[in-house]
Amino acid sequence: MPKHVLLCPPAYFDVVDQKNPYMAGKLPVDRQKAQRQWEALRSALEQAGCEVETITPVAGLEDMVFAANQVFVGFHDNIGKFIVPSRMVHDSRQREVPFYVDWYRQRGYKIIEVDLGTGQGNDRLEGHGDLLWQPDWSRIYAGYGFRSTSSGVEKFRDAMSKLGIPVVPLELVDPHCYHLDTCFCPLNNEAVLIYPGAYAPESLVTLRGLWKRIHELTADEAHKFMGNGIVANGRYLTPYVSPRLEAILRQEGLSPVILDTSEFEKSGGSLFCMKAFLP
Ligand code: ARG
């Protein structure tokens, strides 16, 4: 069965404000280059045997291209495929959420709403920016601290526990790793790539107890999004490789595919953030 993956074309992609430290550079986005980089991602996914689906981009939603964040996508034997809609920190990003929820609703996904409260001081949850599956779907890792809030993650954990899915909260402490997907990337069911400096000490201890092999990235590698890759059919799609990362991938039986994401990095995102795998 080919893996299905959702992408959003970058038609309106831009950097217009500063939602994370990467966006402080004030570098203009080269739209044509962004389009070419996105096309290259699309064909690399197809070459890796994935079936690519797309959602229609919306004018004025400059970050909508980051298809990982608007909902959490899951599957459970009891209820089938489901989503948990995000409550994004930034208003401009929160406006993306209904478009994605509709996309999933039209395709038969059950919608699990987590009550995060309303208004300014409410809880936040940012989809697969912070919520990542164990590859065998047996548990979910949940980053919090910059975007998703600790109590948002707790409420998500309650909702998942009703389905019998354990959630492991992980506290993030490096502003350049504001989403869990920048410092945590399962390579297979036994091995994970992490950047240890991104975690509070207790969270790091928790993580170390849950994996057979933990491969560590340096700060420099993590901040270049080498831990924000996509694992697909024996390949690791990544914006850069270092000799260390190459050795890790070799050990885990993955071959690197390098894809330039310079334009999206100006917005603080790379390959992992630009897609959502569908069950
Ligand atoms: N500019 C976007 C933001 O700050 C980038 C999101 C990147 N997504 C991710 N999953 N890390 O929200």
Side-chain angles (χ1 to χ4, degrees):
M1 261 269 281
K3 265 192 179 181
H4 285 242
V5 60
L6 176 62
L7 298 181
C8 177
Y12 305 103
F13 171 60
D14 206 352
V15 173
V16 299
D17 53 9
Q18 194 197 324
K19 303 183 182 83
N20 62 61
Y22 300 89
M23 299 174 93
K26 305 253 187 303
L27 296 169
V29 167
D30 181 335
R31 287 264 186 101
Q32 286 177 358
K33 199 169 172 187
Q35 181 65 34
R36 287 198 299 275
Q37 291 175 346
W38 183 86
E39 303 282 355
L41 167 60
R42 179 186 188 136
S43 45
L45 285 166
E46 286 168 351
Q47 279 158 29
C50 298
E51 197 138 311
V52 174
E53 302 189 36
T54 56
I55 180 171
T56 309
V58 176
L61 300 183
E62 74 280 355
D63 272 328
M64 193 170 168
V65 66
F66 296 109
N69 303 147
Q70 301 80 1
V71 308
F72 171 82
V73 192
F75 180 86
H76 188 267
D77 281 338
N78 294 343
I79 65 163
K81 46 191 195 172
F82 67 91
I83 58 166
V84 178
S86 295
R87 177 69 64 79
M88 305 291 296
V89 170
H90 302 93
D91 288 345
S92 67
R93 297 225 59 193
Q94 183 56 28
R95 288 198 292 275
E96 302 167 14
V97 174
F99 293 98
Y100 276 84
V101 171
D102 279 351
W103 190 93
Y104 286 97
R105 185 189 284 118
Q106 283 161 17
R107 285 155 186 84
Y109 286 74
K110 179 144 202 241
I111 297 162
I112 299 181
E113 293 282 356
V114 174
D115 182 11
L116 298 165
T118 49
Q120 267 306 303
N122 60 354
D123 289 315
R124 307 289 171 173
L125 213 49
E126 296 215 341
H128 294 290
D130 281 322
L131 307 170
L132 276 81
W133 281 103
Q134 177 79 19
D136 69 0
W137 302 82
S138 62
R139 84 166 64 97
I140 300 162
Y141 299 88
Y144 67 89
F146 293 99
R147 295 296 186 84
S148 301
T149 55
S150 165
S151 49
V153 159
E154 280 314 313
K155 290 173 178 172
F156 175 77
R157 187 188 206 177
D158 288 345
M160 292 301 105
S161 81
K162 292 187 184 121
L163 298 175
I165 308 169
V167 172
V168 182
L170 298 167
E171 187 184 354
L172 302 177
V173 297
D174 174 355
H176 279 89
C177 295
Y178 61 94
H179 269 151
L180 182 64
D181 69 3
T182 61
C183 55
F184 178 90
C185 187
L187 298 177
N188 52 54
N189 210 42
E190 296 184 346
V192 67
L193 203 53
I194 68 163
Y195 164 52
Y199 299 90
E202 320 79 72
S203 297
L204 198 51
V205 172
T206 306
L207 261 188
R208 291 196 190 284
L210 291 171
W211 290 84
K212 259 199 181 146
R213 295 184 298 287
I214 297 220
H215 300 290
E216 298 188 0
L217 294 173
T218 63
D220 187 55
E221 289 165 335
H223 297 166
K224 285 192 174 125
F225 297 100
M226 287 189 227
N228 192 254
I230 303 176
V231 178
N233 200 16
R235 303 171 189 198
Y236 186 70
L237 281 44
T238 175
Y240 308 94
V241 274
S242 61
R244 280 158 52 84
L245 178 58
E246 265 191 309
I248 294 166
L249 296 175
R250 200 173 314 118
Q251 187 189 335
E252 298 298 340
L254 294 168
S255 48
V257 175
I258 301 165
L259 294 170
D260 187 6
T261 57
S262 63
E263 301 317 294
F264 302 101
E265 290 163 35
K266 293 172 184 170
S267 188
S270 185
L271 298 165
F272 187 95
C273 321
M274 294 167 68
K275 62 94 191 73
F277 276 125
L278 308 171

